[in-house]
Amino acid sequence: MASSLTKDSVSPGTPGSEKTFFGHPRGLATLFMTEMWERFSYYGMRALLPLYLVAPGGLGLSAGTATAIYSVYLSLVYLLAMPGGWFGDRVWGPRKTVAVAGGIIMLGHLTLALPNSGTFYAGLGLVAIGSGLLKANISTMVGQLYKGPDDPRRDGGFTVFYMGINLGAFAAPLIIGTIGESVNWHLGFALAAVGMGLGVTQFLLGSRHLDAQSSLVPKPLSAEEKASTLRKAALWAGIAVVAYAILGFSGHYTLNWVLVPLTLLGVIIPVMVLARIKRDKDLDRTEQSKMSAYIWFFVAAAIFWMIYDQGGSTLSIFADSSAENSVLGWDFPVSWYQSVNPVLIMALAPVFAWIWLALNRRGKEPSTIVKFSSGLMLVGVSFFLFLAPLSIAEGGHKAAALWLVAIYFVQTVGELLLSPVGLSVTTKMAPAKYASQMMGVWFLAVTAGDATTGLLSIAGVDLNKTGIVALEATLAVVAGVAIWMYRNKVRSLMGDVR
């Protein structure tokens, strides 16, 4: 990346005279590379996870159990983003939190690489904890590189950073997936650890280019708060240890004793957080109204992510057992499907940005509500499309790979309509009291969606059956239509947000 650092030909001391990364603060290069390697490790392991869980040479679990584990894992990553952000704000500061998080993620991948089913789940837990700590804090440090929200380079900086995410996500299944599927599962997981190790090294070497604010703890815990937090943490940890020790020694322990509580937490906690904010008497009437509108978006987003994230579980498991994974006679690993979305994101995101800008100039850009409802309907359409390869497989034939590529394409277009809008509307509609917490609330929509998928799988629902796929598709389309039909009501609740 050194070759992309440039020196502006202006006198020292003037604004912009420092070395830059594509015109942005040099620290962006550090965060770009750290996030790229972290996403490389995360998406590489994620592409292998459901395949390893069902493989005879892996854990040999049923498709339902594998989907439940995968969904619980994803829901935990996003659920832990909120306490991860709190930890950066109150305990270590963003920079130290990200460095420690990278080490935890690397340790988690190394644990996954051990050929032992018992340590495998501990490895998943470590990766989830590390990802939760890293997710909120590294984005905070990107924002700290710029001189406030009005810095004209700020949006472009986040766009460059977002490209790092997708570069890592694109390369990971092609490299880690190939090694894991074709050579050795545990070698693939070890390769994910190497990727995270490179990310941590890059971060430590380049941290001198980050803003000094990233080392500060914005709101450090007082001695009383620290003691109270430690007491509560020790109490809950003790209860968990005693409960699971009793289950283990009595011979009643099964995997569901972990999966069921975690999936229930993934549904209950988002509801509790939204209810707590909505009941807060400190919010004025306008803020209360915006929160009422936001709940519409939140529920819709949870439905969206419930279907969308099955691209890595339900669709992947289907491809492994029932798809012809070849193009023009050339076979490829199943994990490669997970590279389709990031490459489409990189190709289509600039196109969408240009379209919105062109329509805005003509005064015809769709509203937030229209974009959101369209994204939700499209993810439903993607599962209606999924019915075709399912029918082909039920007829005893292998479905063509292009069916799956088409599903991922439709889902990606839906993502580009819903996800950026969701992030934007979250920041615009956040009550002033909860401004710093609302991004974590948005992540809870992902948690709720994935936890719902996990609950369905634990309950024995076969997510690869035409009936349940059609039901999910219908739910998404109906929800999208409902938001569009009630757009005037939602718009009135949104106040001045458009």
Side-chain angles (χ1 to χ4, degrees), residues 316-326 331 334 337 388-404:
S316 187
I317 292 170
F318 172 83
D320 188 39
S321 62
S322 306
E324 190 68 50
N325 303 309
S326 64
D331 296 334
V334 174
Y337 285 111
L390 281 173
S391 298
I392 292 169
E394 286 177 0
H397 304 286
K398 292 279 189 179
L402 287 179
W403 280 113
L404 294 170

Side-chain angles (χ1 to χ4, degrees), residues 274-291:
L274 285 173
R276 178 173 61 85
I277 296 174
K278 191 71 181 70
R279 291 199 309 264
D280 193 331
K281 290 184 170 55
D282 289 341
L283 304 189
D284 59 33
R285 180 175 296 180
T286 300
E287 290 176 322
Q288 285 282 1
S289 178
K290 288 180 179 179
M291 279 306 301

Side-chain angles (χ1 to χ4, degrees), residues 95-177:
R95 189 184 300 191
K96 183 176 179 180
T97 303
V98 167
V100 173
I104 294 172
I105 293 170
M106 185 168 62
L107 178 62
H109 288 305
L110 288 172
T111 306
L112 291 172
L114 299 174
N116 185 296
S117 60
T119 57
F120 183 83
Y121 297 109
L124 278 183
L126 287 169
V127 175
I129 291 168
S131 297
L133 286 169
L134 186 141
K135 184 171 283 292
N137 289 286
I138 196 166
S139 297
T140 297
M141 286 193 289
V142 173
Q144 289 172 342
L145 295 172
Y146 300 94
K147 307 302 179 185
D150 296 327
D151 190 320
R153 301 173 298 170
R154 187 183 181 92
D155 286 352
F158 274 98
T159 301
V160 173
F161 180 71
Y162 192 60
M163 291 299 287
I165 294 174
N166 284 287
L167 278 173
F170 167 69
L174 303 180
I175 299 171
I176 294 175

Side-chain angles (χ1 to χ4, degrees), residues 28-41:
L28 185 61
T30 297
L31 299 177
F32 174 95
M33 293 294 287
T34 303
E35 182 72 355
M36 186 190 76
W37 283 116
E38 190 273 331
R39 293 291 90 181
F40 175 85
S41 69

Side-chain angles (χ1 to χ4, degrees), residues 196-458:
M196 191 65 253
L198 290 171
V200 172
T201 302
Q202 159 73 20
F203 182 78
L204 295 175
L205 292 176
S207 59
R208 67 185 184 278
H209 300 301
L210 300 175
D211 190 89
Q213 191 179 352
S214 66
S215 294
L216 303 177
V217 181
K219 293 179 269 187
L221 290 171
S222 65
E224 294 80 7
E225 288 175 317
K226 193 174 293 185
S228 174
T229 302
L230 287 172
R231 278 197 305 272
K232 290 176 183 177
L235 174 64
W236 285 108
I239 290 172
V241 168
V242 171
Y244 283 104
I246 292 171
L247 286 170
F249 287 121
S250 65
H252 290 91
Y253 175 81
T254 65
L255 188 58
N256 278 351
W257 280 104
V258 174
L259 294 180
V260 172
L262 290 178
T263 49
L264 289 174
L265 284 174
V267 175
I268 293 169
I269 288 176
V271 173
M272 289 177 62
V273 169
L274 285 173
R276 178 173 61 85
I277 296 174
K278 191 71 181 70
R279 291 199 309 264
D280 193 331
K281 290 184 170 55
D282 289 341
L283 304 189
D284 59 33
R285 180 175 296 180
T286 300
E287 290 176 322
Q288 285 282 1
S289 178
K290 288 180 179 179
M291 279 306 301
S292 295
Y294 186 74
I295 290 171
W296 280 75
F297 292 108
F298 185 93
V299 173
I303 296 170
F304 177 91
W305 296 116
M306 178 185 72
I307 295 176
Y308 179 91
D309 276 345
Q310 288 184 58
S313 55
T314 304
L315 286 177
S316 187
I317 292 170
F318 172 83
D320 188 39
S321 62
S322 306
E324 190 68 50
N325 303 309
S326 64
V327 176
L328 301 175
W330 174 67
D331 296 334
F332 58 87
V334 174
S335 55
W336 282 24
Y337 285 111
Q338 301 309 307
S339 288
V340 174
N341 171 259
V343 77
L344 287 174
I345 288 286
M346 289 187 286
L348 295 177
V351 176
F352 271 74
W354 177 83
I355 290 172
W356 299 144
L357 188 60
L359 289 174
N360 183 267
R361 286 171 179 162
R362 295 180 176 89
K364 296 181 179 179
E365 182 181 359
S367 67
T368 292
I369 298 171
V370 171
K371 289 178 185 176
F372 213 89
S373 61
S374 299
L376 189 52
M377 284 188 278
L378 277 174
V379 84
V381 169
S382 77
F383 258 34
F384 278 126
L385 192 60
F386 186 24
L387 294 175
L390 281 173
S391 298
I392 292 169
E394 286 177 0
H397 304 286
K398 292 279 189 179
L402 287 179
W403 280 113
L404 294 170
V405 172
I407 295 168
Y408 287 120
F409 175 81
V410 175
Q411 290 187 346
T412 301
V413 174
E415 179 188 3
L416 287 168
L417 285 167
L418 182 139
S419 186
V421 171
L423 290 168
S424 176
V425 82
T426 297
T427 57
K428 290 176 182 177
M429 295 170 67
K433 182 177 179 179
Y434 297 98
S436 62
Q437 298 178 42
M438 281 301 286
M439 199 54 68
V441 174
W442 170 251
F443 287 143
L444 288 180
V446 188
T447 295
D450 287 325
T452 302
T453 300
L455 282 173
L456 289 172
S457 299
I458 292 168

